[in-house]
Each structure stands twice: as C-alpha cells, then as structure tokens.
Amino acid sequence: MERRDSVKESRGRSVEEQEIICPVCMHHCRLRPGQTGSCRARANRGGVSSSLSYGRITSLALDPIEKKPLAMFEPGSRILSVGSYGCNLSCPFCQNYEISMCAADAETVRLSPEELAGKAAELKEKGNIGVAFTYNEPMIGYEYVRDTARIVRSAGMKNVVVTNGSVTEEILEEVLPFVDAMNIDLKGFTEDFYRKLGGDLETVKRFIRRAAASCHVELTTLIIPGENDTPEQMRELSAWTAGIDRNIPLHVTRFFPRWKMTDRPPTRVCTVYELADIARERLAYVFTGNC
C-alpha cells in the first residue's frame, strides 16, 4: 500500500518536481530538482540531467600533440587544448585538481562551440590541427564536446578527447562520430583500485573496446608505488589490451606526489622501465613518460 501511494504521488508531480537518474556515467546519480551530481558539473534542471559547464572554459592552450599524450597520431603537430571543470572520479593524485575538483563557482570564460572552432581555425597558421578536449574530464560535459567537434570536423580539422573513459556507452556514442583520436586513462587493472578512485573498471574496459573500434586510441597508465605497480597487474593489463589490438599504444608514466597523495615518493624510474618491458611482451608500442 505504501509503495502504491508513493507511485501515485510521483505521478502527480510535475516534471520539474521529480527526481531523475543521471544517465551519463556509472554513478547514475539520483538527483532531486536542482541537485548537482557527484561530478559537480551536471544537475537536475527541469527534470533532465543538464550540463552546468557547457561553454565554460577554465583552460586554453596550444599544445604539442605529444603532451596529450599521443605518440602515434599526427606526430609533430600542435593542437588547441581546452578544459572546463569537474570530474566524475576522485583520484587523490590528480594533477589538475584545481579545475577537476571544483564546481560551478569556478572562474571561467564563455566560449560557444562556434567561437572555439573559430579560434582553432585561426591557429592553423601556427600548426594547429584542431581541438583537444582535456585537462578536466570532458565527457561529463559531452554535449559541448559533441557540438564543438561537429563544427571542427566540418572545417576539416581534427578532434581529440583525453578522458578517464568512465561514462556509459550511450554517451560515448554521442561524440564518437566526430572524434579522430582519444587518449584514455587506464588507471590500473583491479576493481579494488578503481573503487578507491570512485570508478569502475568494467565501465572503462567497455569504453576502450568501443572507442578502439571507431578511432585512434592510446592508453595511459600512471604507475603509483604500492597501488598498481606489480608485474602481475601490468601483465594482465597489457594482455587484455592486446586482446583488442596489440597495436594500441600504451604510455607507462611515472608518478610524482600530488594533491592528496604526498605520502609516498615518486615512482622509481627503473620500475617504470621494468613494467614497460613487461607490456612490450604483448604490445607493439609502449612508451615511458615523466622519466
């Protein structure tokens, strides 16, 4: 009886008064009217999950493509990198926590998709090949990525997404038709480690499989002492990646203490090299970073 009354009450409310479940990522935040999700960049507005960060830019720079990092996509080129705010993970070692961990009160400038695409075109004379959506987690604001990337593509330029891969396949499909390359963080290869970060390994694995079938994909794994630095984990990670395509490039990167994770030293350089060698047993292209 109580349940039926609850359903009646829900049906009697207007759309603006109802709770929703955000469809964007694995958290599926249940949001009351006006409530913001755990990513701090989406909220229940008028009964739908709406992006709060659309067109709100915190960072803009013309970067070498290798900085994304992309080693085998348009090498030697430059790309206009753009970031907003918010993230749906909570990695204690985040290097961009100033923007990824802030909310709608972040200091931003507004750029419409047309304006950002125009800036990208203006920078062609400086070697720019397009736009990279990066710095924070771009896929939680997928609408802006999709709308801008469509314009950039129509202008004959490239689109790159640097992402944690922690959104649903339905959301990935919104942007894939306009994306030329992705760098995806594969942060480790155990569910326990992903739970510590507020994530889900299986969600990321599905994302990688689908993205690799549609565009150029490179992976990055930051090696953190005591967390994801065992030979066994790298063997599993590289074997799984090779099962998709042994030609997917993997960046094995050195950790430095950052933000909330200052309780351990930087990763030993020899550890990074040893793990990279293990990955090379299965993968054709393995790069080391921050060494």
Side-chain angles (χ1 to χ4, degrees), residues 20 85 118 185 188 263:
I20 63 168
Y85 67 86
D185 277 338
D263 60 340

Side-chain angles (χ1 to χ4, degrees), residues 132-207:
F133 302 90
T134 180
Y135 299 139
N136 73 308
E137 176 46 53
M139 292 296 290
I140 58 173
Y142 73 92
E143 299 97 331
Y144 186 71
V145 176
R146 177 197 62 204
D147 296 349
T148 305
R150 181 186 289 116
I151 300 170
V152 171
R153 171 70 65 80
S154 68
M157 304 185 78
K158 306 289 188 182
N159 292 298
V160 167
V161 176
V162 181
T163 176
N164 61 30
S166 296
V167 299
T168 63
E169 289 180 272
E170 291 79 9
I171 296 304
L172 175 58
E173 295 296 341
E174 290 283 329
V175 304
L176 264 183
F178 313 106
V179 174
D180 298 285
M182 286 191 175
N183 183 285
I184 305 168
D185 277 338
L186 182 52
K187 295 180 183 291
F189 214 65
T190 68
E191 285 290 358
D192 284 346
F193 184 53
Y194 261 93
R195 275 193 289 270
K196 290 181 181 180
L197 310 180
D200 173 67
L201 176 58
E202 289 303 316
T203 296
V204 180
K205 288 165 70 175
R206 287 192 294 269
F207 186 103

Side-chain angles (χ1 to χ4, degrees), residues 12 22 60 62 65 95-96 120 127 146 175-176 193 261 291:
C22 180
L60 195 67
L62 186 61
I65 195 76
Q95 64 178 353
N96 290 328
R146 177 197 62 204
V175 304
L176 264 183
F193 184 53
M261 190 171 276
C291 295

